[in-house]
Each structure stands twice: as C-alpha cells, then as structure tokens.
Amino acid sequence: MPTLNTKIGFVLHTGARYRRGVIVALAALVALALLLPAAVNASPQSVPANSPTPEDKPTVVLVHGAFADSSSWNGVIPRLKREGYPVFSVANPLRGLQEDAAHLRTVLDSVEGPIVLAGHSYGGSVMSEAAESKPDVKALVYVASFQLDIGESTGELAGKFPGGELGPVLQPVAFETPDGRTGNDLYVKQEEFRRVFAADISKTIAELMAATQRPIAETALQDTATKAAWKTIPSWSMITTKDLAIPAESMRFMAERANAEVVEIDASHGVTVSEPRAVADLITKAAHEVTQ
C-alpha cells in the first residue's frame, strides 16, 4: 500500500516530467518558426538559378482572321499551356482594319509583361497595325497570314499573285448600322468552304466551321494599313503551300521583305485546325528566341 509520501513523490515526479515535455515542445516550435522563412525563401535545389519559370514566359495573344472565330485556335492553346505559356485568344471584331486594331490594342494594354502576338489570315493585318509602338510585344508570328506595308490593303495582297480562289466563293450579305450606314458582310459559301479554306480538315469539322463562320465587313479587306509593326518587331511566318485563300507566293513575298523567319508546311488555309502542333511549335520557337 503506497504511503502518502510515496504518492506525493509520484505526483511531483510526473509533473516535472510533463513540464520538461512542454518546454521541449515549445523549443521545437520556436526553432521551426525561425527556420520556416528561410525554407520558404530558399530556391528549390532542383531548379537551376537561371532557368525560366512560368511567370517569366511571355503571354501569347492569338488573333483569328476572317470566316473564323477565336475557337479556331483550340488545338493550339492546350499545347502552348502545357509549355507554361499564358494564352489569350482575342475575339477579332472583323469590322474594319483600324477599328479591329484599336480593339486589339485594348487587349494588349491589359496584359502585363512581354507578349508574343500570333495572327492567322486577316488577323496578321490587324496585329501589324496594332502592335506598332507597343514595347511589350516582342515577336510577331504570322500563320498563313498577311504582313501589310503602309498603304496596302488585305484584298490587294490576297490578289497580288495567282492561285487564290477565295474571291469567287464569297457571298455578300447586306447590313445596316444603327446610324443608318450600309455595307456588306462577306461569307464563304458553305458548299465551297472545305475546298477553298479547309481541304485537309475532316468533312465533319469543316462543315461545322462553315456553319459557324464569322463574316468580315467588305470594307475591312479594302482598308489600307497605316502602320507596319514588322518593321521594328522580329517576325516569323508560316507559309501554307496548299492554301487557296492566300497564294503561297504572296506569303513568301511578304515574309521576305519583312526578313521573317520562314517555315513552309504542306497545309490548307485552315492550318490552325489541321496542324495545331506545327503552329504551336512555331509560336514557342519565336517566344524562346525573343526571351533569352
């Protein structure tokens, strides 16, 4: 039978052991608190000091052309994002060259940090107009596209060399603006869309593209460029050799005078849909070269 003194001794011993345990635990917490800031601020050992992080990569801004919409980049976007690039696909109004360029400039102004700008078809005309005097735009990538010089129109360059078959398959639809002005929207006749625009795309997808195409105001193709950003910003050009909308010779002419880095591909005008990997590869190549 334990005596009273024995019980008191047990309690005192247990209390002392408990207090020592609390003191040890508190000391460990203090040490952890002191170490945490250093751990948080330390660079991971697996990442070299000079390696670019996703935050360092430029934002890729994509501009679609006539008879398409921003979803025409849907095959390209996931490939860019897997490489860590932020991406924004602009809804190009297709109302007029200066008006469309003004809209694109508002988008560029909203992006923080460096930008790689890529345009398909008429989207190239718009980005050449919009990007001048935009120091954050580091590269221009023209994908089956137009590189207008000052005073030139998209329609003029489309017809500069033989081989284009888009003009005869365009269908005008009259419209009236709220202020009473009239004009024509241009559509590609649906029965001709795949042959002229998307010959290397499956019939099912091409029919969807034809049915959902966005028209361009006829005057937008007649508007003349007042700026040519490719004169001061490095450019890359993808030339589609089976293109019936813009003759390959026209694209070569524009790329050569712009001193663009050229890639030729055996594809139709709808190359962003038919060859998204090749398009994404060219954009990432341009982005890599201008952000080293």
Side-chain angles (χ1 to χ4, degrees):
M1 185 76 178
T3 65
L4 179 60
N5 287 339
T6 303
K7 291 179 180 178
I8 292 171
F10 174 80
V11 170
L12 291 174
H13 176 74
T14 303
R17 186 170 58 187
Y18 173 78
R19 287 192 297 274
R20 284 197 299 274
V22 169
I23 291 169
V24 170
L26 287 173
L29 287 172
V30 170
L32 181 61
L34 291 172
L35 289 171
L36 272 176
V40 169
N41 293 325
S43 298
Q45 295 301 309
S46 60
V47 179
N50 295 325
S51 292
T53 65
E55 292 78 11
D56 297 326
K57 292 190 173 182
T59 298
V60 177
V61 176
L62 306 170
V63 188
H64 68 81
F67 321 116
D69 62 20
S70 54
S71 70
S72 60
W73 298 99
N74 280 359
V76 177
I77 293 169
R79 289 171 167 82
L80 295 173
K81 292 182 76 68
R82 280 198 294 271
E83 295 294 325
Y85 291 96
V87 183
F88 190 95
S89 185
V90 178
N92 189 355
L94 306 178
R95 297 295 84 194
L97 182 56
Q98 278 69 46
E99 182 179 343
D100 298 339
H103 175 76
L104 177 55
R105 279 192 289 271
T106 65
V107 175
L108 299 178
D109 289 342
S110 74
V111 176
E112 294 185 3
I115 296 168
V116 170
L117 192 52
H120 174 243
S121 192
Y122 168 76
S125 302
V126 175
M127 73 181 192
S128 291
E129 186 80 12
E132 187 171 292
S133 302
K134 293 291 181 186
D136 286 340
V137 177
K138 305 301 182 184
L140 301 171
V141 183
Y142 294 86
V143 180
S145 192
F146 292 96
Q147 294 174 265
L148 303 184
D149 202 349
I150 295 169
E152 294 176 338
S153 71
T154 302
E156 175 188 346
L157 267 295
K160 188 174 182 66
F161 295 90
E165 298 185 25
L166 185 61
V169 302
L170 293 179
Q171 178 179 351
V173 175
F175 68 85
E176 184 174 336
T177 63
D179 62 2
R181 291 181 295 131
T182 59
N184 285 322
D185 266 338
L186 299 179
Y187 293 82
V188 178
K189 294 175 183 177
Q190 290 196 30
E191 64 272 19
E192 295 283 3
F193 189 94
R194 187 181 184 215
R195 181 182 70 83
V196 175
F197 199 94
D200 54 355
I201 296 171
S202 73
K203 182 179 179 182
T204 301
I205 298 300
E207 287 178 348
L208 285 174
M209 292 170 64
T212 59
Q213 65 178 290
R214 287 187 54 209
I216 186 168
E218 186 175 25
T219 53
L221 300 179
Q222 300 166 356
D223 290 340
T224 56
T226 63
K227 300 176 178 64
W230 50 263
K231 292 186 176 183
T232 56
I233 302 172
S235 65
W236 283 254
S237 180
M238 175 172 282
I239 295 171
T240 40
T241 59
K242 286 190 173 180
D243 201 318
L244 297 182
I246 311 175
E249 277 307 305
S250 184
M251 287 183 269
R252 291 188 186 108
F253 165 77
M254 291 182 279
E256 183 177 352
R257 71 179 180 183
N259 197 30
E261 185 171 327
V262 172
V263 170
E264 296 206 2
I265 184 169
D266 190 21
S268 74
H269 192 63
V271 65
T272 61
V273 178
S274 65
E275 298 287 349
R277 182 188 299 276
V279 174
D281 286 348
L282 182 59
I283 293 171
T284 55
K285 184 177 190 296
H288 180 76
E289 290 188 16
V290 298
T291 55
Q292 288 302 296

